[in-house]
Amino acid sequence: MSAIDEVLAANEVYSHTHELRALTPRPSRRLAVLTCMDTRLSIRTMGLKEGEAHIIRNAGGIVTDDALRSLLVSHYLLDTEEFMVINHTDCGLMHTTEEDLRTRIQNRAGTAAVAPAFFHAFQNIEENVRHQLQKLRTHPWIPKSIAVRGFVYDVASGRLREIADAPQS
Ligand SMILES: [Zn+2]
């Protein structure tokens, strides 16, 4: 059985109780989290339960145009008031470059492609988090009243560490 078939079978069982039926689309903690798709990060690592926060995920936990779109919908349509950006140690996008990634994929696929324009590879994780925060804080549609905070999740210790706005001098 394929993984998708297994999911369909599990969903059939879930639907008998449908425990999350009572949840509303509005996150009860008024929180939106943008983070990586990495398997080692989950709502459990943040002490969250279903229904409490929007979890927006992409490779790296990057403020892409689409992540920004989701965060705007989260705030303006569904009333979230705090944004958390989380990158993590040992991320697949670290210690590589745009060119290296593109070349590797192109070689395996056997053809070039115009999209995606960027993979958002990065070397310095703290700098990368600050870059994402800057993209959010300078956006004209993100009100100053929204708390925007950035973190690095350490996959070895399981701990979140807050990243200050400017590098410590
Ligand atoms: Zn990652």
Side-chain angles (χ1 to χ4, degrees), residues 36-38 40-41 58-61 87-93 122:
C36 187
M37 63 190 186
D38 194 277
R40 297 163 290 183
L41 260 157
N58 62 29
N87 287 185
H88 67 95
T89 58
D90 195 38
C91 188
L93 287 180
F122 60 92

Side-chain angles (χ1 to χ4, degrees), residues 110-132:
T111 183
V114 290
F118 299 104
F119 283 97
H120 300 279
F122 60 92
Q123 271 80 49
N124 183 320
I125 194 167
E126 298 187 5
E127 201 174 277
N128 196 58
V129 170
R130 279 194 289 267
H131 189 191
Q132 308 319 309

Side-chain angles (χ1 to χ4, degrees), residues 2-121:
S2 77
I4 293 175
D5 288 331
E6 287 168 2
V7 166
L8 290 176
N11 169 253
E12 174 57 31
V13 174
Y14 167 79
S15 70
H16 297 161
T17 56
H18 191 12
E19 292 140 23
L20 302 186
R21 182 201 303 265
L23 294 182
T24 78
R26 288 180 165 67
S28 63
R29 294 212 200 186
R30 297 189 165 211
L31 171 68
V33 180
L34 170 64
T35 190
C36 187
M37 63 190 186
D38 194 277
T39 54
R40 297 163 290 183
L41 260 157
S42 82
I43 55 171
R44 275 179 60 201
T45 66
M46 296 178 274
L48 293 168
K49 294 188 183 68
E50 289 99 339
E52 294 186 340
H54 279 146
I55 313 292
I56 299 146
R57 306 186 73 159
N58 62 29
I62 307 295
V63 180
T64 58
D65 190 64
D66 196 64
L68 184 62
R69 183 181 68 85
S70 296
L71 288 168
L72 291 170
V73 168
S74 179
H75 172 65
Y76 284 97
L77 272 60
L78 296 161
D79 304 329
T80 54
E81 295 291 344
E82 294 181 70
F83 292 170
M84 210 174 170
V85 177
I86 307 175
N87 287 185
H88 67 95
T89 58
D90 195 38
C91 188
L93 287 180
M94 277 176 81
H95 313 299
T96 183
T97 63
E98 295 287 323
E99 200 186 328
D100 176 56
L101 263 177
R102 190 165 295 277
T103 305
R104 274 158 58 185
I105 294 172
Q106 196 169 307
N107 287 346
R108 275 185 60 183
T111 183
V114 290
F118 299 104
F119 283 97
H120 300 279

